[in-house]
Amino acid sequence: MFGMTRDVGIDLGTASVLVYVRGKGIVLQEPSVVAMDKNTGELLKVGAEAQKMLGRTPGNIVAIRPLQEGVISDYDMTERMLREFLRKVVPFRLIKPRVIICVPSGITEVEERAVIDAGIQAGARKVYLIEEPVAAAIGAGIDINRPDGHLVVDVGGGTTDVAVISLSGVVESESIKVAGDKFDDALVKYVRRKHNVLIGERTAEELKIQLGCVFPKDEDETVEVKGRCLMTGLPRVFQVSSNEMVEAFEEPVQQILEAIHAVLERTPPELVADISTNGIVLTGGGSLLWGFDKLVESNTGIHTEVAEDAISCVAKGTGSSLDNLNNMQDGTMNLNRRRQLNV
């Protein structure tokens, strides 16, 4: 029993890291941000405290996001961040934990190896990988073992994964590097173009959470935003409306819709029939933008709903998979390119 509780599931996201410990549920949810001293290389803050520093640091301190577009862009920082999070959730480690880490479905073998190595270096005994859409489907309460097609769209921070799942495996999938971060970028560009004001990444993120919508609302809502006027260089306060949000997000949203269409086009007809009955499930933080389900439904003609607790779906699914750890190399979790490393 002592060893069992050591199993850990990690949703290693571009925007945030969620950690699930068997028997306890989700015990940690922190932004994927690390702050370090450039001169000494010392790790100063990790997670929420480091996120507050983004765009606000003096010259010698740098706040970075070690994961970009769903994959590791700074290996050393990712490993140190993981070690810090593991230390928080499994403080006394007589037995090193076995860890399942979630990865985007479009990940390459080199990127896979980087995730496994980072997990081992951070203190895992064994590292298993599970694909994000599979974990999202399990977390959303879909029974993936049945010969029944389900379409899951996981809109995260760095990637959007679209996958058709049947018999515990991914039948067709597409992973695109268009998700929450690209929505923020689109908003910064839109405000600059339309209002001639520059806003920061954090402001864009907050505005997206507060007012973000991708489908026209019946009543237009507005929010006050602060930024730097590009004409005068001075602070300026202005209003942004929900209809402007729809306009700002048009391009990234279109790319996600195209990915859904592409996956449906490649899916066998029997499974498409299942999907039209079962509907489409949206998971991930990006799916919480107002009207995302309405937009997908109006474009595909298939009933669409946002999963309950969409942000933690992937972490919950990863946690549920901990029960199958002993069978994972036997193919119980039918992943396309599963790796398992013994150390």
Side-chain angles (χ1 to χ4, degrees):
M1 252 333 262
F2 185 68
M4 273 181 67
T5 56
R6 304 278 162 200
D7 295 339
V8 175
I10 299 175
D11 172 13
L12 189 61
T14 308
S16 57
V17 174
L18 282 83
V19 180
Y20 186 109
V21 174
R22 184 191 282 193
K24 291 183 181 176
I26 295 170
V27 292
L28 182 138
Q29 181 173 354
E30 297 257 7
S32 318
V33 184
V34 177
M36 64 174 285
D37 190 316
K38 255 197 312 203
N39 303 339
T40 63
E42 184 195 349
L43 198 68
L44 301 172
K45 299 283 183 201
V46 171
E49 290 177 323
Q51 190 187 33
K52 289 175 190 161
M53 299 180 178
L54 276 176
R56 293 194 169 114
T57 56
N60 65 316
I61 297 172
V62 57
I64 54 168
R65 295 173 64 178
L67 291 123
Q68 297 293 334
E69 300 181 334
V71 294
I72 294 173
S73 62
D74 187 325
Y75 176 83
D76 182 45
M77 283 297 128
T78 303
E79 182 240 298
R80 288 164 77 174
M81 177 176 76
L82 269 179
R83 179 178 296 155
E84 200 61 32
F85 288 150
L86 277 175
R87 198 176 56 76
K88 278 186 184 178
V89 299
V90 193
F92 307 110
R93 282 182 291 177
L94 290 172
I95 301 173
K96 285 184 171 184
R98 293 184 299 174
V99 175
I100 296 187
I101 299 179
C102 227
V103 291
S105 54
I107 195 170
T108 66
E109 292 209 6
V110 174
E111 290 160 351
E112 249 179 42
R113 173 60 48 194
V115 173
I116 290 171
D117 290 348
I120 295 292
Q121 292 300 320
R125 176 164 43 117
K126 290 180 184 174
V127 172
Y128 303 81
L129 301 182
I130 182 170
E131 288 173 287
E132 262 166 27
V134 175
I138 298 169
I142 295 169
D143 180 0
I144 65 166
N145 299 311
R146 293 174 51 223
D148 192 17
H150 290 272
L151 182 65
V152 176
V153 181
D154 180 47
V155 189
T159 59
T160 293
D161 284 272
V162 183
V164 175
I165 295 167
S166 177
L167 285 169
S168 304
V170 175
V171 181
E172 271 302 337
S173 71
E174 185 144 332
S175 182
I176 57 169
K177 296 182 189 314
V178 177
D181 288 351
K182 286 286 190 285
F183 284 113
D184 293 346
D185 293 348
L187 201 48
V188 171
K189 285 176 186 161
Y190 180 83
V191 168
R192 187 178 190 147
R193 193 174 66 241
K194 180 97 186 269
H195 296 278
N196 223 357
V197 173
L198 191 63
I199 59 170
E201 196 183 303
R202 286 281 311 279
T203 306
E205 170 84 4
E206 282 160 16
L207 180 58
K208 178 182 74 177
I209 292 166
Q210 207 176 345
L211 190 69
C213 68
V214 294
F215 199 76
K217 287 186 174 180
D218 295 337
E219 280 184 34
D220 202 14
E221 292 172 23
T222 58
V223 161
E224 203 171 76
V225 186
K226 298 184 182 81
R228 189 177 78 221
C229 178
L230 287 165
M231 304 291 281
T232 63
L234 298 170
R236 185 168 147 217
V237 181
F238 60 101
Q239 300 277 337
V240 173
S241 71
S242 55
N243 281 344
E244 284 182 300
M245 285 293 204
V246 176
E247 217 176 300
F249 294 147
E250 198 172 341
E251 194 183 330
V253 159
Q254 200 51 46
Q255 288 171 289
I256 292 171
L257 290 173
E258 280 165 18
I260 295 171
H261 279 245
V263 168
L264 283 169
E265 276 170 17
R266 298 196 301 267
T267 301
E270 296 292 348
L271 290 175
V272 172
D274 290 344
I275 291 163
S276 69
T277 309
N278 296 329
I280 297 172
V281 176
L282 303 179
T283 65
S287 67
L288 297 177
L289 283 170
W290 192 91
F292 220 127
D293 48 349
K294 293 181 173 65
L295 183 75
V296 173
E297 190 165 329
S298 69
N299 267 268
T300 58
I302 302 169
H303 174 67
T304 304
E305 57 184 53
V306 178
E308 204 178 317
D309 209 0
I311 289 179
S312 51
C313 264
V314 173
K316 280 183 179 164
T318 309
S320 301
S321 306
L322 292 171
D323 298 335
N324 298 318
L325 261 186
N326 295 329
N327 309 321
M328 271 188 93
Q329 62 270 44
D330 301 334
T332 309
M333 296 304 292
N334 182 14
L335 304 184
N336 291 354
R337 294 173 308 279
R338 185 184 52 255
R339 299 280 176 278
Q340 186 222 339
L341 197 68
N342 290 315
V343 168

